[in-house]
Amino acid sequence: MNIILLGPPGAGKGTQASRLEDERGMVQLSTGDMLRAAVKAGTPVGLKAKAVMEAGELVSDEIVSGIIGERLDELGDETGAIFDGYPRTAPQAASLDTILAERGRTLDHVIELVVDEDALVERITGRFTCASCGEGYHDKFKLPAVAETCDQCGAHEFKRRPDDNEETVRTRMTEYRAKTAPILPIYEARGLVKRVDGMADIAHVTDAIEAILDGRG
Ligand code: AP5
Ligand code: MG
Ligand code: ZN
């Protein structure tokens, strides 16, 4: 099974991908996470991507399609992929078709997380993650059960993304509207798009996605 989670910044793509990993043994392929790792490691890709990401603009199609292909090759043939934050432009959607076909994979669903844009700035500016294992949290919607202690690994250090400020979020949303939303009709024409209410509770959103994966939704 290969699926795309599509939605604007803060829609819950990463949150849902990580829940599907835990529950289904699928693997999350997040170009945002890969690029952040490259920035942290100071690789040539990271050096190119850093300023672009901090401005909330899109990194080049060649770079992201390259890293997605590499990561897919690390998965076993039987392992399902959850594309999170990729594809984001029409050329990336075309590259993904090639990348999947070359590996004998087919796209099963494109799941659009439909959200109210006004909620997104609050979601993003309240977001933080465990510095050790990467588990995601939110100041208002998902605090650790024990204050300042990661639910997953018990670490006490947390971090926030440099692009999670209001100004950059606005640019990221503009980029989404201009370049990413227009790829939906491509998938719509193939009958692959399913819509999920991304404003529901985190667990309800997962249930709705699982219903689709199980052919119930
Ligand atoms: P990327 O990392 O993909 O960021 P994004 O698309 O802006 O999306 P986010 O990660 O901000 O949001 P999300 O949908 O994952 O939400 P989350 O689950 O965390 O990309 C970052 C940058 O990298 C881009 O700007 C670009 O520069 C570059 N890049 C990446 N991919 C690229 C590509 N393919 N091409 C070119 N450039 C690329 O949820 C947000 C918060 O809300 C969390 O705190 C969460 O706890 C909370 N939350 C989630 N769901 C709910 C809910 N149902 N109710 C209440 N709270 C919720
Ligand atoms: Mg994310
Ligand atoms: Zn942790």
Side-chain angles (χ1 to χ4, degrees):
M1 174 94 61
N2 300 286
I3 66 169
I4 295 172
L5 294 183
L6 202 73
K13 303 180 295 291
T15 301
Q16 295 303 327
S18 124
R19 292 170 63 92
L20 294 172
E21 280 198 323
D22 293 346
E23 288 174 23
R24 301 231 155 203
M26 297 175 76
V27 170
Q28 172 189 18
L29 299 179
S30 159
T31 40
D33 287 350
M34 293 171 205
L35 292 168
R36 279 183 287 280
V39 169
K40 196 172 168 205
T43 65
V45 164
L47 294 175
K48 278 191 199 146
K50 187 170 189 285
V52 179
M53 293 174 77
E54 279 174 11
E57 289 159 9
L58 294 185
V59 173
S60 81
D61 293 333
E62 293 70 28
I63 288 183
V64 292
S65 293
I67 57 178
I68 273 284
E70 284 168 23
R71 281 289 284 111
L72 206 50
D73 286 333
E74 293 165 12
L75 304 190
D77 288 345
E78 304 302 311
T79 308
I82 307 162
F83 296 96
D84 160 6
Y86 179 91
R88 257 177 151 96
T89 63
Q92 289 180 29
S95 296
L96 181 60
D97 286 340
T98 311
I99 288 168
L100 290 173
E102 282 171 354
R103 290 158 181 83
R105 289 176 178 261
T106 48
L107 194 54
D108 295 286
H109 303 287
V110 176
I111 299 174
E112 183 191 5
L113 298 172
V114 181
V115 282
D116 168 4
E117 277 208 11
D118 295 336
L120 299 180
V121 172
E122 184 185 27
R123 279 198 192 176
I124 287 179
T125 53
R127 170 170 58 187
F128 61 99
T129 54
C130 171
S132 178
C133 75
E135 180 70 6
Y137 294 96
H138 192 279
D139 292 326
K140 195 161 151 192
F141 306 120
K142 194 193 159 201
L143 282 165
V146 178
E148 286 167 48
T149 307
C150 176
D151 296 347
Q152 292 292 325
C153 77
H156 303 293
E157 297 280 320
F158 296 91
K159 58 181 185 186
R160 290 179 192 261
R161 277 169 44 178
D163 60 343
D164 278 354
N165 56 76
E166 186 161 349
E167 192 196 341
T168 307
V169 170
R170 301 268 176 217
T171 308
R172 285 157 59 193
M173 284 182 191
T174 307
E175 290 281 80
Y176 179 82
R177 256 184 255 117
K179 296 171 187 164
T180 309
I183 69 178
L184 270 162
I186 301 173
Y187 294 119
E188 208 113 46
R190 295 192 217 159
L192 291 173
V193 179
K194 307 271 167 24
R195 293 200 165 75
V196 164
D197 175 13
M199 295 308 294
D201 291 352
I202 291 173
H204 283 113
V205 178
T206 311
D207 289 345
I209 296 173
E210 297 216 87
I212 292 167
L213 303 191
D214 292 338
R216 294 178 281 118

